[in-house]
Amino acid sequence: MTVSLDATVRIPEDVVFRELDGEAVLLNLESGIYFGLDPVGTRIWQLVEEHQTLRRVLDALQAEYEAPAADLESDLVRFVDQLHGKGLLTVV
Amino acid sequence: MTVPAVHVFEQHDEAYHLWRDAGVRDATVVHVDAHHDLSWLDDPIHLHIGNYLCQAIKDGIVREVYWVVPDGALRAPRARAEIRRQLRDLGRAYPRPRRPVQRAGDAWSCALRGCRVVVCELDALRVPAGTVLLDVDVDFLLTPGAQLREGSPADEPWLWPSDCVARLRRTGVAPALVTIAYSVEGGYTPLRWKYFGDELAARLLGAEAPGFDRLHEAHRLAGTGAMEAAAQACRDAAAALQNPAAAEFALARLLAQRGQIEAARAAHQAARAHDPSYATAYNCAGPAALARRHFDAAERAFRDQLALDESDGHARVGLAYVAMHRRQWSEAEAHARASIERGLDTPDVHRVLARALQHQGRIGEAVTALQRSLRVTLDGRAPRCAVASRRLSRLPVWDAEHGRTWAALATLEARLGHGGDAIAALRLAISSGYRRLAVHARLAGLYACEHRWRAALREAAAACAAAPSSIVRAQRQGRAALALRLEALRT
């Protein structure tokens, strides 16, 4: 399933986000899956927590990063797809 | 005894992989070891040095196990009681079919999951015909029967490799495959005797072993005080052996005893250069002394090791542990930092540093150190003294203290007023298996502070549920200790 920009995403209760020594990790307490995030991934996660809808997240990213909008959009969708596939996000 | 193939390796569970890859089925294992290595495991991901025989039974590789224990283990009352207790515990852990522990002449036997397990001493070994796997742990030669309960090796071998091989030949064992584990990591075999693994292999294959003979001669000479002759014997052995590291390591120790520290350093460096495994955390008597809480002896051993190799980060961490136990926090910090500067980046080093910082009131720095500890664990690194094959979960986590470290981090973060981070850390502690009453109770308290009443109630209930199991666990441990004493008295 490919996530659309109009989707709303939620963080499941069983998923914990922690910053450790300058890097971030996500853990799904139910499945035990750990997922390391790079700085951009960490920022996207924080924006998802804040905004919940991907279009707003994309707007915020465009304001922060000097990158072509199309690249940001495809990176965001791929990232959210990955997290969704690992049970670290639910897409409504 | 003809031996077609001999494999020598560090961690004993490697034997399982070799048997499996060789397609062995329904074999009899002659397991010559100070430990049974039969512990039950539910999931092959948890395979390690203590349970690989169980997996071999489950996979149909092994249908019969002869556990050959050191001489005297079945005669010394305490050791015999310990062996019976271990067999009974195994019987309880394994699913049926099983048979209770029985005595048959000079051996004990039971059955685990349909596999016959016979415990005997070397001279009582009678192996039936069929495919036989000879599986030796070097720690067998170093753990006297009477010390089996403690499980710690002696300074000197109770049986030399040549005698062991001669006695194995007399039993008529004809193995299809021989596996030999050094077992230095974990402290089962002192590093100075690691070469026994190679010597056993050479002698089982019927090869001449003049280098090993010379090394034994060095040991004997050193015992009589003929240090110069002993040093020369080490040099001769180094010249004769394919891997001279053992001889160079022995030479370094001799020269250090004689105060020839520069020459000792050179010999030690040569040993490490020829065989990097000699740069292990178990390169001196320090870890064993530390485990027995003999802090003065541990400090001496670590300082002696640093005299031989100033760059040895393991010895620095050892000194940090000694300082920590003496509550010398600034010294512990200095040693921990020195080891990190020397390239040690393992979970336990950062934990020691965190504890030293915490006791000096530097909570923010302690949090950073604990975070680093967790980070390197999640990167797949094991503590220095962990046996590397002991994987704890499907995650690449080899650190038995992982859950406790999350809980320690939560405590510090709560002190800093970072309630959200502390909650996440406690949840991670619980999910890592650290399900203690206190952890659930603290989590309940933190939820209550954030007015998350439902979550607080859930954790309070979990704390109550954890309470009886803590009590039951304590009761069970007490009963086991009492039973062991009674058994020893009775026998």
Side-chain angles (χ1 to χ4, degrees):
Chain A
M1 178 185 123
T2 305
V3 179
S4 89
L5 273 186
D6 297 319
T8 300
V9 288
R10 293 229 171 91
I11 299 166
E13 172 70 9
D14 285 331
V15 173
V16 175
F17 168 85
R18 276 300 316 240
E19 285 197 61
L20 284 178
D21 193 35
E23 293 176 46
V25 291
L26 291 174
L27 177 80
N28 185 324
L29 298 179
E30 200 176 331
S31 65
I33 290 175
Y34 269 107
F35 200 80
L37 297 180
D38 64 13
V40 180
T42 304
R43 186 63 193 136
I44 293 176
W45 182 266
Q46 289 164 340
L47 291 170
V48 165
E49 274 186 313
E50 197 179 328
H51 298 296
Q52 296 190 348
T53 65
L54 292 191
R55 197 167 293 283
R56 281 198 199 166
V57 171
L58 182 61
D59 292 343
L61 286 173
Q62 281 173 338
E64 291 181 25
Y65 293 91
E66 287 177 13
D71 289 356
L72 279 176
E73 183 180 333
S74 69
D75 284 352
L76 173 64
V77 168
R78 198 169 57 239
F79 178 70
V80 171
D81 243 355
Q82 263 187 315
L83 296 185
H84 177 55
K86 290 180 184 298
L88 297 165
L89 276 179
T90 51
V91 179
V92 183
Chain B
M1 179 165 64
T2 51
V3 177
V6 180
H7 300 271
V8 190
F9 39 76
E10 171 53 39
Q11 309 231 13
H12 213 156
D13 49 333
E14 184 66 24
Y16 163 80
H17 299 289
L18 280 161
W19 299 334
R20 189 194 58 190
D21 296 347
V24 176
R25 304 290 302 168
D26 294 330
T28 296
V29 172
V30 175
H31 178 67
V32 183
D33 197 328
H35 309 88
H36 58 63
D37 298 346
L38 275 159
S39 296
W40 174 256
L41 85 165
D42 288 314
D43 186 332
I45 196 85
H46 302 307
L47 187 88
H48 59 63
I49 57 168
N51 61 22
Y52 68 95
L53 281 177
C54 173
Q55 190 60 41
I57 293 169
K58 288 166 85 173
D59 290 354
I61 294 171
V62 170
R63 64 172 169 76
E64 194 171 33
V65 176
Y66 284 80
W67 176 23
V68 178
V69 292
D71 286 3
L74 292 176
R75 277 165 279 155
R78 278 164 59 88
R80 187 170 60 214
E82 173 63 16
I83 289 170
R84 286 197 65 185
R85 185 192 66 77
Q86 289 183 12
L87 292 178
R88 275 202 301 264
D89 286 352
L90 287 172
R92 276 194 285 267
Y94 274 63
R96 292 173 193 280
R98 60 188 180 222
R99 215 181 57 217
V101 182
Q102 292 175 327
R103 185 172 185 172
D106 43 9
W108 295 84
S109 72
C110 66
L112 303 168
R113 212 173 187 256
C115 171
R116 183 164 173 255
V117 177
V118 178
V119 186
C120 62
E121 295 181 11
L122 195 48
D123 293 332
L125 180 64
R126 305 283 179 272
V127 181
T131 305
V132 174
L133 307 169
L134 177 59
D135 182 39
V136 185
D137 195 315
V138 173
D139 72 9
F140 172 81
L141 305 173
L142 295 150
T143 312
Q147 261 175 250
L148 201 73
R149 186 180 168 201
E150 291 75 18
S152 52
D155 290 337
E156 305 281 318
W158 67 270
L159 182 66
W160 292 84
S162 53
D163 297 328
C164 180
V165 170
R167 288 174 64 184
L168 275 168
R169 283 187 202 286
R170 282 202 293 274
T171 66
V173 173
L177 196 67
V178 178
T179 44
I180 300 172
Y182 296 120
S183 296
V184 170
E185 303 302 321
Y188 307 102
T189 298
L191 184 58
R192 62 191 289 221
W193 305 116
K194 178 180 180 176
Y195 74 87
F196 278 6
D198 304 312
E199 184 179 351
L200 282 170
R203 293 193 188 280
L204 282 166
L205 289 166
E208 292 291 311
F212 295 120
D213 290 337
R214 202 71 184 113
L215 206 43
H216 297 177
E217 182 67 3
H219 179 72
R220 192 190 63 75
L221 288 165
T224 63
M227 303 303 258
E228 186 50 50
Q232 187 53 48
C234 284
R235 291 188 188 99
D236 295 346
L241 289 168
Q242 199 178 3
N243 177 357
E248 288 158 344
F249 186 74
L251 180 61
R253 287 167 54 97
L254 277 173
L255 294 171
Q257 278 176 31
R258 297 181 68 192
Q260 297 174 330
I261 202 68
E262 284 305 323
R265 279 183 192 147
H268 199 271
Q269 190 175 10
R272 298 195 312 274
H274 280 120
D275 186 344
S277 75
Y278 277 70
T280 165
Y282 292 96
N283 56 9
C284 68
L290 205 53
R292 290 196 295 269
R293 301 180 70 81
H294 296 170
F295 300 123
D296 291 344
E299 183 179 8
R300 270 196 306 278
F302 289 129
R303 290 202 186 281
D304 288 350
Q305 176 57 27
L306 280 172
L308 285 172
D309 177 13
E310 208 182 1
S311 67
D312 188 337
H314 297 299
R316 291 265 173 215
V317 185
L319 288 174
Y321 272 103
V322 170
M324 188 178 83
H325 284 290
R326 291 174 175 157
R327 306 185 72 77
Q328 296 164 343
W329 302 114
S330 60
E331 199 175 327
E333 179 192 348
H335 286 305
R337 287 200 190 281
S339 65
I340 293 167
E341 281 165 19
R342 281 162 176 74
L344 272 190
D345 191 17
T346 56
D348 52 331
V349 180
H350 295 289
R351 267 199 298 269
V352 177
L353 177 60
R355 190 142 175 225
L357 292 165
Q358 179 188 346
H359 282 273
Q360 293 176 82
R362 290 149 65 188
I363 305 300
E365 289 174 80
V367 165
T368 305
L370 283 180
Q371 286 186 349
R372 181 71 197 156
S373 169
L374 291 160
R375 182 72 245 172
V376 298
T377 300
L378 294 174
D379 285 344
R381 257 168 274 176
R384 294 168 316 109
C385 293
V387 178
S389 60
R390 196 175 285 266
R391 188 169 175 167
L392 300 167
S393 69
R394 293 208 165 272
L395 301 165
V397 169
W398 278 266
D399 179 12
E401 297 290 306
H402 188 60
R404 189 195 288 262
T405 308
W406 279 116
L409 178 63
T411 303
L412 298 186
E413 285 177 329
R415 277 175 67 177
L416 291 173
H418 302 161
D421 286 342
I423 286 172
L426 284 175
R427 293 181 71 196
L428 287 161
I430 293 165
S431 77
S432 304
Y434 196 61
R435 300 184 183 92
R436 302 294 172 92
L437 181 154
V439 175
H440 286 291
R442 271 159 48 204
L443 187 51
L446 286 167
Y447 277 135
C449 288
E450 296 199 346
H451 307 291
R452 295 165 67 178
W453 304 115
R454 188 172 293 178
L457 274 174
R458 189 185 61 221
E459 290 307 322
C464 293
S469 67
S470 311
I471 294 163
V472 168
R473 198 164 45 239
Q475 277 179 336
R476 197 182 299 147
Q477 283 167 354
R479 270 206 307 271
L482 185 64
L484 200 62
R485 282 186 73 91
L486 287 173
E487 181 89 30
L489 285 172
R490 204 163 47 233
T491 54

PDB file of all heavy atoms in Angstrom, chain B residues 455-472:
ATOM      1  N   ALA B 455      -3.558   4.606  32.660  1.00  0.00           N
ATOM      2  CA  ALA B 455      -2.246   3.955  32.525  1.00  0.00           C
ATOM      3  C   ALA B 455      -1.627   3.709  33.903  1.00  0.00           C
ATOM      4  O   ALA B 455      -1.002   2.667  34.149  1.00  0.00           O
ATOM      5  CB  ALA B 455      -1.320   4.830  31.679  1.00  0.00           C
ATOM      6  N   ALA B 456      -1.845   4.673  34.820  1.00  0.00           N
ATOM      7  CA  ALA B 456      -1.291   4.511  36.177  1.00  0.00           C
ATOM      8  C   ALA B 456      -1.903   3.295  36.858  1.00  0.00           C
ATOM      9  O   ALA B 456      -1.190   2.498  37.489  1.00  0.00           O
ATOM     10  CB  ALA B 456      -1.566   5.774  36.994  1.00  0.00           C
ATOM     11  N   LEU B 457      -3.226   3.127  36.698  1.00  0.00           N
ATOM     12  CA  LEU B 457      -3.899   1.972  37.308  1.00  0.00           C
ATOM     13  C   LEU B 457      -3.394   0.665  36.713  1.00  0.00           C
ATOM     14  O   LEU B 457      -3.159  -0.317  37.418  1.00  0.00           O
ATOM     15  CB  LEU B 457      -5.410   2.089  37.087  1.00  0.00           C
ATOM     16  CG  LEU B 457      -6.155   2.917  38.123  1.00  0.00           C
ATOM     17  CD1 LEU B 457      -7.615   3.063  37.709  1.00  0.00           C
ATOM     18  CD2 LEU B 457      -6.072   2.250  39.505  1.00  0.00           C
ATOM     19  N   ARG B 458      -3.220   0.670  35.385  1.00  0.00           N
ATOM     20  CA  ARG B 458      -2.745  -0.543  34.708  1.00  0.00           C
ATOM     21  C   ARG B 458      -1.380  -0.966  35.271  1.00  0.00           C
ATOM     22  O   ARG B 458      -1.127  -2.121  35.563  1.00  0.00           O
ATOM     23  CB  ARG B 458      -2.640  -0.265  33.201  1.00  0.00           C
ATOM     24  CG  ARG B 458      -2.375  -1.489  32.350  1.00  0.00           C
ATOM     25  CD  ARG B 458      -2.168  -1.099  30.904  1.00  0.00           C
ATOM     26  NE  ARG B 458      -1.010  -0.219  30.766  1.00  0.00           N
ATOM     27  CZ  ARG B 458      -0.950   0.845  29.976  1.00  0.00           C
ATOM     28  NH1 ARG B 458      -1.997   1.185  29.256  1.00  0.00           N
ATOM     29  NH2 ARG B 458       0.140   1.577  29.904  1.00  0.00           N
ATOM     30  N   GLU B 459      -0.483   0.039  35.431  1.00  0.00           N
ATOM     31  CA  GLU B 459       0.871  -0.278  35.921  1.00  0.00           C
ATOM     32  C   GLU B 459       0.845  -0.668  37.405  1.00  0.00           C
ATOM     33  O   GLU B 459       1.631  -1.513  37.836  1.00  0.00           O
ATOM     34  CB  GLU B 459       1.809   0.902  35.695  1.00  0.00           C
ATOM     35  CG  GLU B 459       2.131   1.147  34.236  1.00  0.00           C
ATOM     36  CD  GLU B 459       2.662  -0.085  33.516  1.00  0.00           C
ATOM     37  OE1 GLU B 459       3.436  -0.849  34.134  1.00  0.00           O
ATOM     38  OE2 GLU B 459       2.296  -0.290  32.353  1.00  0.00           O
ATOM     39  N   ALA B 460      -0.064  -0.037  38.168  1.00  0.00           N
ATOM     40  CA  ALA B 460      -0.179  -0.423  39.580  1.00  0.00           C
ATOM     41  C   ALA B 460      -0.622  -1.885  39.678  1.00  0.00           C
ATOM     42  O   ALA B 460      -0.117  -2.654  40.508  1.00  0.00           O
ATOM     43  CB  ALA B 460      -1.174   0.484  40.285  1.00  0.00           C
ATOM     44  N   ALA B 461      -1.553  -2.269  38.802  1.00  0.00           N
ATOM     45  CA  ALA B 461      -2.003  -3.671  38.782  1.00  0.00           C
ATOM     46  C   ALA B 461      -0.843  -4.589  38.389  1.00  0.00           C
ATOM     47  O   ALA B 461      -0.667  -5.669  38.964  1.00  0.00           O
ATOM     48  CB  ALA B 461      -3.166  -3.826  37.800  1.00  0.00           C
ATOM     49  N   ALA B 462      -0.056  -4.137  37.400  1.00  0.00           N
ATOM     50  CA  ALA B 462       1.100  -4.962  36.970  1.00  0.00           C
ATOM     51  C   ALA B 462       2.100  -5.101  38.111  1.00  0.00           C
ATOM     52  O   ALA B 462       2.710  -6.162  38.281  1.00  0.00           O
ATOM     53  CB  ALA B 462       1.759  -4.333  35.746  1.00  0.00           C
ATOM     54  N   ALA B 463       2.248  -4.028  38.901  1.00  0.00           N
ATOM     55  CA  ALA B 463       3.170  -4.086  40.050  1.00  0.00           C
ATOM     56  C   ALA B 463       2.675  -5.121  41.055  1.00  0.00           C
ATOM     57  O   ALA B 463       3.455  -5.923  41.581  1.00  0.00           O
ATOM     58  CB  ALA B 463       3.277  -2.709  40.702  1.00  0.00           C
ATOM     59  N   CYS B 464       1.357  -5.122  41.312  1.00  0.00           N
ATOM     60  CA  CYS B 464       0.787  -6.096  42.250  1.00  0.00           C
ATOM     61  C   CYS B 464       0.987  -7.505  41.716  1.00  0.00           C
ATOM     62  O   CYS B 464       1.317  -8.427  42.464  1.00  0.00           O
ATOM     63  CB  CYS B 464      -0.711  -5.838  42.450  1.00  0.00           C
ATOM     64  SG  CYS B 464      -1.015  -4.288  43.302  1.00  0.00           S
ATOM     65  N   ALA B 465       0.792  -7.664  40.401  1.00  0.00           N
ATOM     66  CA  ALA B 465       0.948  -8.996  39.812  1.00  0.00           C
ATOM     67  C   ALA B 465       2.399  -9.457  39.889  1.00  0.00           C
ATOM     68  O   ALA B 465       2.672 -10.651  39.995  1.00  0.00           O
ATOM     69  CB  ALA B 465       0.481  -8.978  38.361  1.00  0.00           C
ATOM     70  N   ALA B 466       3.323  -8.501  39.822  1.00  0.00           N
ATOM     71  CA  ALA B 466       4.752  -8.866  39.855  1.00  0.00           C
ATOM     72  C   ALA B 466       5.182  -9.242  41.271  1.00  0.00           C
ATOM     73  O   ALA B 466       6.160  -9.973  41.440  1.00  0.00           O
ATOM     74  CB  ALA B 466       5.605  -7.720  39.334  1.00  0.00           C
ATOM     75  N   ALA B 467       4.455  -8.750  42.267  1.00  0.00           N
ATOM     76  CA  ALA B 467       4.872  -8.985  43.654  1.00  0.00           C
ATOM     77  C   ALA B 467       4.915 -10.461  44.022  1.00  0.00           C
ATOM     78  O   ALA B 467       5.938 -10.949  44.488  1.00  0.00           O
ATOM     79  CB  ALA B 467       3.978  -8.210  44.605  1.00  0.00           C
ATOM     80  N   PRO B 468       3.826 -11.217  43.790  1.00  0.00           N
ATOM     81  CA  PRO B 468       3.884 -12.629  44.183  1.00  0.00           C
ATOM     82  C   PRO B 468       5.023 -13.374  43.493  1.00  0.00           C
ATOM     83  O   PRO B 468       5.681 -14.194  44.106  1.00  0.00           O
ATOM     84  CB  PRO B 468       2.523 -13.177  43.757  1.00  0.00           C
ATOM     85  CG  PRO B 468       1.654 -11.992  43.645  1.00  0.00           C
ATOM     86  CD  PRO B 468       2.537 -10.863  43.236  1.00  0.00           C
ATOM     87  N   SER B 469       5.282 -13.059  42.190  1.00  0.00           N
ATOM     88  CA  SER B 469       6.321 -13.814  41.502  1.00  0.00           C
ATOM     89  C   SER B 469       7.695 -13.530  42.112  1.00  0.00           C
ATOM     90  O   SER B 469       8.550 -14.411  42.173  1.00  0.00           O
ATOM     91  CB  SER B 469       6.317 -13.510  40.000  1.00  0.00           C
ATOM     92  OG  SER B 469       6.696 -12.184  39.769  1.00  0.00           O
ATOM     93  N   SER B 470       7.897 -12.285  42.607  1.00  0.00           N
ATOM     94  CA  SER B 470       9.167 -11.970  43.277  1.00  0.00           C
ATOM     95  C   SER B 470       9.309 -12.823  44.534  1.00  0.00           C
ATOM     96  O   SER B 470      10.366 -13.378  44.819  1.00  0.00           O
ATOM     97  CB  SER B 470       9.224 -10.505  43.693  1.00  0.00           C
ATOM     98  OG  SER B 470       8.866  -9.680  42.643  1.00  0.00           O
ATOM     99  N   ILE B 471       8.191 -12.920  45.272  1.00  0.00           N
ATOM    100  CA  ILE B 471       8.237 -13.685  46.521  1.00  0.00           C
ATOM    101  C   ILE B 471       8.448 -15.167  46.220  1.00  0.00           C
ATOM    102  O   ILE B 471       9.272 -15.838  46.830  1.00  0.00           O
ATOM    103  CB  ILE B 471       6.939 -13.453  47.324  1.00  0.00           C
ATOM    104  CG1 ILE B 471       6.886 -11.981  47.763  1.00  0.00           C
ATOM    105  CG2 ILE B 471       6.857 -14.382  48.522  1.00  0.00           C
ATOM    106  CD1 ILE B 471       5.513 -11.519  48.181  1.00  0.00           C
ATOM    107  N   VAL B 472       7.704 -15.658  45.214  1.00  0.00           N
ATOM    108  CA  VAL B 472       7.828 -17.074  44.850  1.00  0.00           C
ATOM    109  C   VAL B 472       9.262 -17.373  44.421  1.00  0.00           C
ATOM    110  O   VAL B 472       9.840 -18.395  44.786  1.00  0.00           O
ATOM    111  CB  VAL B 472       6.831 -17.429  43.723  1.00  0.00           C
ATOM    112  CG1 VAL B 472       7.143 -18.797  43.122  1.00  0.00           C
ATOM    113  CG2 VAL B 472       5.413 -17.390  44.258  1.00  0.00           C
TER     114      VAL B 472
END
